[in-house]
């Protein structure tokens, strides 16, 4: 990302700053490694602070039904020490951002998820003025267990439509979900019901609450079915998911 426009306020031949994500494909619980490179202009400059933020597209903050984003939600922040940037010289600083296990996904089953977007945003503070630059997008790929659950949905005939990030805590809005959420946001993945299951219902919303060793999948507003990573068995998991979803959603249909 370039901060040329912001730094141009310092005068002609202003310095430039660029952020590069060394590993732009990660999974929840992983660590992003970022390199911030500053090239000095015609005069010495004091960079008072460099802040790196992992941001995601949150439905609560955006307008319209598209996937554009102008007001993302920060889920992880890391502050790097400031530095003096001598004229004409290059200074490089490195930072790491550890993603939460509940990090929203942008990719699953080897493909992008509609509506899923994540990026690193770099903020500079120079002479008490702060500037948030453009987004450097990266990919958050599903954990093996998340892919297995999504594959189970697919094998049962569900079709993934899109993903949305919501802000807040599930227990405050739907206490019956028995959520073990720890982050102040969640991702909702929407599926079209198989025609044979529909019974007038168009979509099923599923929420993932992941941890280091296991995953809760909430179908709709119901309590979760839990999957333990060390017990991954695609057929068993598909049968468990089908029983859970049918038990809650199709009980009234016999």
């Amino acid at each position: 990302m370039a901060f040329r426009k912001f730094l141009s306020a310092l005068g002609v031949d202003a310095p430039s700053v660029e952020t590069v994500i060394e590993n732009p494909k990660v999974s929840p619980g992983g660590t992003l490694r970022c390199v911030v490179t500053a090239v000095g202009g015609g005069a010495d400059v004091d960079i008072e602070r460099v802040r790196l933020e992992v941001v995601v597209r949150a439905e609560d903050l955006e307008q319209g039904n598209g996937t554009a984003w102008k007001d993302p939600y920060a889920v992880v922040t890391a502050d790097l020490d400031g530095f003096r940037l001598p004229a004409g010289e290059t200074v490089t600083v490195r930072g790491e951002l550890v993603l939460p296990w509940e990090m929203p996904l942008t990719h699953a089953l080897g493909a992008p998820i509609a509506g899923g977007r994540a990026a690193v945003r770099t903020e500079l503070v120079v002479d008490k003025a702060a500037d948030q630059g453009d987004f450097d997008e990266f990919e958050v790929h599903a954990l093996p267990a998340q892919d297995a659950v999504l594959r189970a949905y697919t094998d049962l005939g569900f079709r993934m439509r899109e993903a949305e990030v919501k802000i807040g805590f599930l227990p405050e809005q739907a206490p019956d979900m028995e959520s073990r959420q720890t982050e102040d946001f969640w991702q909702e993945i929407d599926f079209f019901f198989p025609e044979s299951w529909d019974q007038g219902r168009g979509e099923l919303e599923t929420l993932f609450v992941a941890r280091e060793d296991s995953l809760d999948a909430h179908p709709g507003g119901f309590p979760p079915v839990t999957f333990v990573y060390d017990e991954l068995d695609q057929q068993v998991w598909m049968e468990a998911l089908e029983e859970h979803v049918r038990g809650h959603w199709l009980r009234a249909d016999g």
Side-chain angles (χ1 to χ4, degrees), residues 57-71:
R57 186 184 187 280
E59 289 295 310
D60 305 41
L61 302 178
E62 304 292 343
Q63 296 181 353
N65 296 321
T67 59
W69 52 339
K70 296 182 179 180
D71 189 16

Side-chain angles (χ1 to χ4, degrees), residues 28-30 98-103 143-146 180 182 209-216 227-231 237:
V98 179
L99 302 184
W101 289 104
E102 296 169 45
M103 179 71 192
L143 296 164
Q146 291 171 318
R180 290 187 277 186
T182 61
V209 179
R211 294 170 294 280
E212 186 174 3
D213 60 351
S214 59
L215 166 72
D216 291 340
F227 300 94
V228 179
Y229 301 158
D230 289 343
E231 300 172 0
W237 283 22

Side-chain angles (χ1 to χ4, degrees), residues 13-178:
D13 194 19
S16 63
V17 178
E18 182 179 14
T19 297
V20 173
I21 303 173
E22 291 187 320
N23 56 326
K25 296 182 180 182
V26 292
S27 294
T31 300
L32 282 175
R33 300 186 302 274
C34 301
V35 179
V36 181
T37 301
V39 179
D44 295 351
V45 175
D46 287 321
I47 307 295
E48 298 168 28
R49 187 188 70 199
V50 179
R51 169 169 289 177
L52 300 175
E53 295 180 321
V54 170
V55 297
V56 297
R57 186 184 187 280
E59 289 295 310
D60 305 41
L61 302 178
E62 304 292 343
Q63 296 181 353
N65 296 321
T67 59
W69 52 339
K70 296 182 179 180
D71 189 16
Y73 187 69
V75 300
V76 181
T77 299
D79 286 332
L80 311 181
D81 292 336
F83 53 89
R84 185 161 184 79
L85 179 60
E89 295 190 15
T90 299
V91 175
T92 298
V93 294
R94 295 177 176 270
E96 293 187 346
L97 292 153
V98 179
L99 302 184
W101 289 104
E102 296 169 45
M103 179 71 192
L105 306 177
T106 66
H107 288 66
L109 300 175
I113 301 174
R117 301 186 73 171
V120 171
R121 179 171 62 186
T122 306
E123 179 184 85
L124 289 181
V125 176
V126 179
D127 194 22
K128 307 303 180 182
D131 177 72
Q132 293 177 335
D134 297 331
F135 307 148
D136 292 298
E137 293 200 48
F138 63 93
E139 299 177 4
V140 184
H141 288 255
L143 296 164
Q146 291 171 318
D147 263 342
V149 175
L150 293 171
R151 174 63 64 190
Y153 271 114
T154 300
D155 291 345
L156 290 170
F158 288 86
R159 291 182 295 115
M160 190 187 306
R161 188 174 76 87
E162 67 176 5
E164 300 175 349
V165 173
K166 306 290 188 179
I167 300 172
F169 287 93
L170 285 167
E172 297 175 357
Q173 303 184 30
D176 292 342
M177 291 183 71
E178 302 173 6

